[in-house]
Amino acid sequence: MLGDILRGQEKSPLVLIEDSCELPGRHVILSVVNCLAQRLEKVVLVTYEKPSRYFRDSLSEDLQQRVEIIDCSDDPLGWQRGGSPSTDGEFLKIVEGVISPGIKGVGLVIDSLTLHILNRPPPYTCQNLHAVKSAKIKDGEISQTVCLLHRDLHDDTTVGLIEHMATSIIKLSPCKSCDFQHSCCIVHQRASGKVMKVIENFNIDEKFFLKEVCEAAPTFTMVMPDSVSQADPAANLPFNLSLTDSERVARSQVKLPYIKDNEGGKSEPQGGGKVFYQPDDADDFDEEDPDEDLDI
């Protein structure tokens, strides 16, 4: 699933990668940039934490021409670019400023949203993400947007707002396999509306290319005892719940009321009980038949 999303086989306009201090995800972002640069004409990398030289040194020379790095590490609020903290469509304007006409497929990578959210209200970041989601730019469109988010630096409400915007959520998790370096939990929403959840292990080589993606098989530990002893619930009671053989025969021969017998009739209750009613002196009886005018 991870490889299909990054290679474009599974369409996902907005991908959110969540990491933490214990599980940093910048190596995954570098792998994302390499995957996008291989299949798209242009990749715009917006950096808020690391300088641009950090990413240039990590990218291969044949892919550097397709990657446009916008260094916002020294100007996170965009004052030097003529922006302001309340400017709408910040990400979209950045992409429009570096894309030349004739380019069809564009990829946007943001590293990371955390500094952007801390300096601005979270709804503002959501508005910017919505603006770039499959946005049309000149002759092309933004095919995929990938964002990194440090989830341990935000509250659950903020993380939930950003996750609501994403079509794919990749949460890095501790890897329990000795054959893989990394593990992640992926929640992906397909175009049909079907939501898929899978846990995958993967490796990243020294050139930051994704390799050996494998779905992690769930492991269940079940303890099966050799002999299962069932406790008697009627044991150690002050009264008897069991029946003897003679009591079972007597119970089976009892005819219950209003149940058809073998002859097809209903069994009459034993005792032949009847109801007698003696009217009081104050009772008012009408001797006339109220239905005498009816042809019954």
Side-chain angles (χ1 to χ4, degrees):
M1 179 67 69
L2 178 61
D4 295 340
I5 293 175
L6 299 183
R7 287 190 293 266
Q9 298 176 0
E10 282 284 348
K11 186 176 181 181
S12 182
L14 181 56
V15 181
L16 180 65
I17 301 175
E18 298 182 6
D19 68 348
S20 61
C21 182
E22 294 80 9
L23 299 168
R26 187 152 286 114
H27 57 285
V28 182
I29 284 293
L30 290 171
S31 179
V32 168
V33 173
N34 287 328
C35 291
L36 294 179
Q38 287 180 329
R39 65 182 179 91
L40 298 177
E41 299 181 48
K42 201 70 174 179
V43 177
V44 180
L45 174 59
V46 183
T47 66
Y48 285 98
E49 299 178 11
K50 293 289 186 179
S52 58
R53 63 178 180 273
Y54 171 83
F55 294 94
R56 288 195 183 95
D57 297 339
S58 302
L59 296 175
S60 58
E61 296 181 359
D62 56 336
L63 297 179
Q64 288 184 3
Q65 297 179 354
R66 295 187 178 184
V67 180
E68 186 72 28
I69 302 177
I70 307 299
D71 192 352
C72 300
S73 60
D74 55 348
D75 184 27
L77 293 178
W79 294 107
Q80 300 178 8
R81 301 190 302 273
S84 66
S86 60
T87 302
D88 294 334
E90 176 183 348
F91 299 147
L92 184 59
K93 292 179 180 179
I94 290 176
V95 177
E96 290 177 344
V98 297
I99 296 301
S100 57
I103 297 179
K104 302 297 183 181
V106 180
L108 175 61
V109 181
I110 303 174
D111 180 26
S112 69
L113 289 177
T114 292
L115 194 59
H116 192 273
I117 295 174
L118 294 177
N119 289 322
R120 300 169 176 84
Y124 171 75
T125 303
C126 294
Q127 293 176 1
N128 279 270
L129 293 176
H130 180 73
V132 300
K133 202 173 181 180
S134 300
K136 302 291 184 180
I137 300 178
K138 300 178 181 179
D139 297 334
E141 64 176 3
I142 300 180
S143 302
Q144 192 172 65
T145 301
V146 183
C147 308
L148 181 65
L149 180 69
H150 308 315
R151 64 173 178 262
D152 53 346
L153 298 181
H154 306 282
D155 53 48
D156 295 338
T157 302
T158 301
V159 175
L161 287 174
I162 305 300
E163 289 181 348
H164 183 72
M165 301 295 301
T167 53
S168 297
I169 304 173
I170 303 174
K171 298 181 180 181
L172 300 182
S173 57
C175 185
K176 300 179 181 180
S177 176
C178 300
D179 300 329
F180 296 91
Q181 302 172 351
H182 314 284
S183 180
C184 64
C185 178
I186 303 174
V187 180
H188 172 64
Q189 181 180 2
R190 288 183 168 175
S192 61
K194 182 179 180 180
V195 178
M196 302 181 62
K197 184 176 181 181
V198 64
I199 299 176
E200 291 185 345
N201 299 327
F202 60 95
N203 290 328
I204 297 178
D205 60 12
E206 63 278 359
K207 295 183 179 181
F208 299 101
F209 283 96
L210 187 67
K211 287 189 175 182
E212 299 176 356
V213 180
C214 179
E215 182 177 352
T219 303
F220 299 96
T221 303
M222 299 181 62
V223 179
M224 299 297 294
D226 297 336
S227 59
V228 180
S229 59
Q230 297 181 355
D232 186 7
N236 301 324
L237 293 179
F239 49 87
N240 187 16
L241 291 178
S242 59
L243 298 176
T244 62
D245 295 339
S246 58
E247 290 173 342
R248 292 191 183 93
V249 173
R251 185 180 64 175
S252 62
Q253 294 177 353
V254 175
K255 291 185 177 181
L256 299 178
Y258 307 107
I259 296 180
K260 292 184 178 181
D261 53 14
N262 296 331
E263 289 75 13
K266 292 184 179 179
S267 60
E268 296 293 337
Q270 297 180 0
K274 297 182 180 180
V275 177
F276 295 92
Y277 175 72
Q278 184 178 359
D280 296 334
D281 297 337
D283 289 346
D284 185 14
F285 285 95
D286 189 1
E287 300 295 339
E288 296 182 359
D289 185 7
D291 298 330
E292 63 182 358
D293 56 337
L294 301 178
D295 186 12
I296 301 177

